[in-house]
């Protein structure tokens, strides 16, 4: 099946700094990727839809200036958490669609200290 | 937008018994309903899905039923085993295509006791 890879799997950053998470489709092209956030013991909440070559579509309540999404190629979308705060600590996971099936990345644990 | 409710939030069953998780959705246009199993710190894994043109689908010990009229769908796991312990999520979507997003239920934490 298709593979979606995320990097890094775990990252610790200091408050006020920015951190970038990458989502790659390894063996297919994805014009659209999705970014989710999952707090401990909670469900996956869609943050935004990443569109190749155009602006991302953000869900209500998600700050687009804080969570920057770039989808510069058909195989890579990046999520940058800017000016990170401890409350941004969470599990971030991306997904992409290939041939009618949804594939998730491994997820990235972000801890802001 | 779509809203998916999932019950129960936790489910404890004895090994060998059956487990049933129920979900309701709000958007009658939704026609794709996947179920995911997620272990702690891991990505969700698709275990079964159903499209609105069928009412039931089975894969070994796992089955899903769909009632479009009532807008609810259920996951049935028979002969549960300890390795079935995980968090299960239902989801709903309008087709599986670029730009069509999944809306997840709140999740059910299943514990299978040996």
């Amino acid at each position: 099946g298709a593979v979606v890879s995320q990097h890094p799997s775990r990252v610790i950053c200091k408050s006020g700094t920015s951190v970038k998470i990458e989502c790659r489709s390894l063996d297919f092209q994805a014009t659209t990727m999705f970014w989710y956030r999952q707090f401990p013991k909670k469900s996956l909440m869609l943050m935004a839809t990443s569109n190749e070559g155009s602006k991302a579509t953000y869900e209500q309540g998600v700050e687009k200036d804080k969570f920057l999404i770039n989808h510069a190629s058909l195989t890579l979308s990046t999520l940058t958490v800017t000016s990170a705060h401890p409350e941004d600590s969470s599990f971030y996971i991306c997904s992409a669609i290939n041939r009618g099936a949804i594939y998730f990345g491994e997820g990235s644990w972000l801890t802001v200290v | 937008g779509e809203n998916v409710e999932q019950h129960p939030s936790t489910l404890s069953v004895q090994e060998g018994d059956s487990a049933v998780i129920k979900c309701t959705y709000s958007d009658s246009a939704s026609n794709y309903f996947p179920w995911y199993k997620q272990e702690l710190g891991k990505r969700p894994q698709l275990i079964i899905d159903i499209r609105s043109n069928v009412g039931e689908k089975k894969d070994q010990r796992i089955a899903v039923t769909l009632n479009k009229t009532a807008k609810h769908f259920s996951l049935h796991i028979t002969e549960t085993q300890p390795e079935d312990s995980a968090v299960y999520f239902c989801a709903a979507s309008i087709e599986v295509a670029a730009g069509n997003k999944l809306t997840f239920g709140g999740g059910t934490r299943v514990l299978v006791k040996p």
Side-chain angles (χ1 to χ4, degrees):
Chain A
V3 177
V4 175
S5 178
Q6 262 183 262
H7 178 82
S9 57
R10 290 182 179 274
V11 58
I12 300 173
C13 71
K14 292 184 178 180
S15 288
T17 63
S18 297
V19 60
K20 181 187 288 187
I21 301 170
E22 295 184 345
C23 179
R24 293 181 184 273
S25 56
L26 297 187
D27 51 359
F28 66 99
Q29 294 181 332
T31 56
T32 303
M33 293 184 176
F34 301 91
W35 286 97
Y36 296 86
R37 180 168 56 184
Q38 186 177 31
F39 291 111
K41 299 186 178 181
K42 298 295 184 182
S43 187
L44 287 84
M45 299 301 296
L46 181 66
M47 299 175 65
T49 302
S50 174
N51 305 299
E52 187 269 334
S54 63
K55 292 182 180 180
T57 304
Y58 289 82
E59 295 300 301
Q60 191 172 8
V62 178
E63 300 175 60
K64 61 180 181 181
D65 294 330
K66 179 170 181 63
F67 298 100
L68 301 179
I69 291 173
N70 184 281
H71 196 149
S73 78
L74 287 170
T75 59
L76 174 64
S77 175
T78 60
L79 169 68
T80 301
V81 183
T82 62
S83 187
H85 291 284
E87 54 265 33
D88 297 325
S89 299
S90 187
F91 187 57
Y92 292 86
I93 191 164
C94 67
S95 72
I97 296 170
N98 186 45
R99 297 175 185 264
I102 300 167
Y103 298 91
F104 285 91
E106 305 97 321
S108 300
W109 284 101
L110 170 63
T111 302
V112 184
V113 297
Chain B
E2 175 67 280
N3 182 51
V4 179
E5 299 283 341
Q6 183 171 346
H7 298 280
S9 57
T10 60
L11 180 60
S12 181
V13 297
Q14 206 66 39
E15 182 178 1
D17 288 350
S18 295
V20 180
I21 303 170
K22 298 182 179 182
C23 288
T24 59
Y25 61 100
S26 62
D27 190 343
S28 56
S30 290
N31 55 11
Y32 176 66
F33 307 94
W35 286 88
Y36 292 90
K37 176 183 180 182
Q38 187 182 30
E39 297 177 0
L40 187 63
K42 305 288 186 181
R43 77 182 91 192
Q45 297 280 359
L46 178 70
I47 56 172
I48 196 166
D49 58 11
I50 191 168
R51 286 178 165 81
S52 60
N53 56 343
V54 297
E56 184 174 358
K57 185 176 178 180
K58 189 173 181 180
D59 182 4
Q60 298 182 351
R61 296 187 296 110
I62 295 173
V64 59
T65 58
L66 171 65
N67 184 326
K68 285 177 57 180
T69 303
K71 289 190 282 189
H72 67 70
F73 55 114
S74 301
L75 177 72
H76 303 251
I77 306 174
T78 58
E79 301 172 30
T80 54
Q81 301 166 4
E83 51 265 39
D84 294 329
S85 296
V87 180
Y88 291 80
F89 292 98
C90 63
S93 173
I94 301 172
E95 291 293 343
V96 180
N100 289 336
K101 53 193 179 185
L102 279 175
T103 301
F104 285 86
T108 298
R109 187 171 300 275
V110 174
L111 175 63
V112 180
K113 294 181 286 187

